[in-house]
């Protein structure tokens, strides 16, 4: 059995995804990811149970190396 999805964590790397909508106080505001193109190869890596439940972090969304600034 898989652990419940944490909507504040990136499903690929586990770091904060900086999702505005995961915070109840700001859930009515658009997330940063609404304004960027997310690398399709990254979306294919998201586990099925996390699809539409947790955002990628900016680093993973852009397929940046782990040592690159987000």
């Amino acid at each position: 059995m898989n652990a419940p999805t944490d909507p504040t964590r990136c499903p690929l790397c586990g770091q904060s995804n900086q999702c505005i909508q995961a915070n109840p106080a700001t859930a009515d505001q658009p997330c940063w990811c609404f304004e960027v193109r997310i690398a399709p190869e990254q979306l294919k890596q998201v586990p099925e149970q996390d699809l539409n439940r947790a955002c990628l972090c900016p680093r993973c969304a852009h397929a940046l190396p782990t040592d690159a600034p987000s």
Side-chain angles (χ1 to χ4, degrees), residues 1-61:
M1 184 169 152
N2 294 330
T5 300
D6 181 346
T8 67
R9 298 278 166 203
C10 175
L12 297 184
C13 72
Q15 298 300 310
S16 171
N17 58 19
Q18 302 172 24
C19 180
I20 298 295
Q21 295 190 329
N23 179 343
T26 56
D28 62 338
Q29 298 175 27
C31 185
W32 65 267
C33 69
F34 291 12
E35 301 295 323
V36 299
R37 180 162 156 54
I38 297 176
E41 62 273 10
Q42 294 302 89
L43 289 175
K44 290 178 186 176
Q45 294 182 47
V46 176
E48 189 173 333
Q49 72 269 11
D50 294 329
L51 289 173
N52 299 312
R53 290 186 171 88
C55 294
L56 297 176
C57 69
R59 177 176 287 126
C60 287

